[in-house]
Amino acid sequence: QVQLVESGGGLVQAGDSRRLSCAASARTFGSYTMGWFRQAPGKEREFVATISWRGGTTYYADSVKGRFTISRDNAKNTVYLQMNSLIPEDTAVYYCAAAQWGPATHTENDYDYWGQGTQVTVSS
């Protein structure tokens, strides 16, 4: 069982930056592909970014490409999401997810473990 705990959410202004963190309890964190997803009010959860277990491969949703950066520190069992140039449309609950052994993936069903989420609200 892997526990994921997100942090770093909050209320920000449009144009601001924010970094989300996700701490994992897995002793073999380095074997997990990690992903970030988000769910806006009244909408389905959607893919944001993913990073392979070594960090060599990353994919982003078109809506965040060029503004968000996913990274990981396997020594700290932590994955990050750096969010720049935030816009009101980025307002959502952001979820961290882990997929053991698989490649970097945008498919929600590929992920085995999920965090509780952290709220990010971007005001205009």
Side-chain angles (χ1 to χ4, degrees), residues 9-84:
L11 175 64
V12 298
Q13 299 281 337
D16 283 353
S17 297
R18 197 81 170 185
R19 188 177 80 160
L20 304 182
S21 299
C22 173
S25 65
R27 289 187 296 173
T28 58
F29 176 74
S31 67
Y32 287 83
T33 283
M34 300 299 296
W36 285 98
F37 291 75
R38 68 185 182 185
Q39 187 168 21
K43 295 187 177 181
E44 293 188 351
R45 190 158 57 187
E46 64 176 4
F47 166 75
V48 175
T50 181
I51 187 166
S52 60
W53 60 282
R54 279 187 176 177
T57 301
T58 58
Y59 298 123
Y60 297 92
D62 287 344
S63 58
V64 306
K65 202 172 296 184
R67 298 188 299 121
F68 290 12
T69 301
I70 188 171
S71 62
R72 65 189 297 160
D73 185 338
N74 287 348
K76 295 183 178 179
N77 281 19
T78 303
V79 63
Y80 304 98
L81 185 68
Q82 178 66 44
M83 306 184 294
N84 298 331

Side-chain angles (χ1 to χ4, degrees), residues 2-6 22-26 29 32 34-35 77 79 95-99 111-117:
V2 176
Q3 292 186 329
L4 303 173
V5 180
E6 302 96 335
C22 173
S25 65
F29 176 74
Y32 287 83
M34 300 299 296
N77 281 19
V79 63
Y95 297 92
C96 172
Y111 289 87
D112 305 300
Y113 303 100
W114 293 82
Q116 293 300 307

